[in-house]
Amino acid sequence: MTLDGKKIAILISPRGTEEPEFSKPKAAVEAAGGTVTVISLKAGDAKSVNNDLDPGASFAVDKTIDDVSASEFDALIIPGGSVGADTLRGSKPVVAFVHDFFAQAKPVAAICHAPWTLVEADVLKGRTLTSFPTLQTDIRNAGGTWVDQEVVVDNGLVTSRNPDDLPAFCAKLVVEFAAGKQAGNA
């Protein structure tokens, strides 16, 4: 499976994004030949975490959310981490950016707490997905169907529950990103 020529956006909060949920999908896309752009709320470096509480690494931000459009990318990755995901869903520009990927029928991959941004973007009606278990009521209230599976694919939307699911999540997102636009994404 190749992502040659594909431009993939990955979101990272200025602080609080779960490190493996950021670094492993990014590495999987790059290994498949895709180009990844790291996007955050502000320029500079973003500090990740491990297990929500332990400090992780810093990652360079390529562009700020105010300098990008969904039309520039072929797909989107949204990592979790409860603080990071909560920060991202609180940003109107991030929510609009996420919504635009669905409006343009482009694939999106979200893991752990990242579906909070999907709830805020109002894109879950009629969708089946998974997440960290504490988000299931939010997902149901947003019109989605929550299931407890390691990875779920619903018309280009790839979701997983937690870092333990990363191997399956990364494999499926590469497949979906390679497939490109999905009729059911809109």
Side-chain angles (χ1 to χ4, degrees), residues 50-86:
N50 289 295
N51 302 312
D52 266 336
L53 300 173
D54 300 322
S58 290
F59 295 93
V61 172
D62 296 319
K63 293 189 173 188
T64 67
I65 192 67
D66 296 324
D67 297 328
V68 294
S69 165
S71 62
E72 300 170 44
F73 301 98
D74 297 298
L76 172 65
I77 301 168
I78 313 169
S82 61
V83 171
D86 191 55

Side-chain angles (χ1 to χ4, degrees), residues 105-137:
K106 294 180 178 180
V108 173
I111 186 167
C112 203
H113 287 81
W116 268 339
T117 59
L118 307 179
V119 168
E120 291 299 321
D122 195 25
V123 295
L124 295 183
K125 287 179 184 68
R127 295 267 188 174
T128 298
L129 65 152
T130 194
S131 68
F132 196 75
T134 58
L135 277 66
Q136 62 185 291
T137 299

Side-chain angles (χ1 to χ4, degrees), residues 1-76:
M1 196 65 47
T2 181
L3 295 178
D4 289 346
K6 298 276 188 178
K7 296 177 185 174
I8 311 302
I10 186 167
L11 294 172
I12 189 167
S13 175
R15 59 181 172 76
T17 294
E18 190 69 25
E19 185 171 328
E21 294 173 9
F22 171 83
S23 61
K24 291 191 179 199
K26 181 178 183 289
V29 166
E30 291 169 341
T35 301
V36 179
T37 301
V38 178
I39 300 163
S40 192
L41 303 176
K42 51 187 175 179
D45 288 337
K47 296 185 186 312
S48 68
V49 295
N50 289 295
N51 302 312
D52 266 336
L53 300 173
D54 300 322
S58 290
F59 295 93
V61 172
D62 296 319
K63 293 189 173 188
T64 67
I65 192 67
D66 296 324
D67 297 328
V68 294
S69 165
S71 62
E72 300 170 44
F73 301 98
D74 297 298
L76 172 65

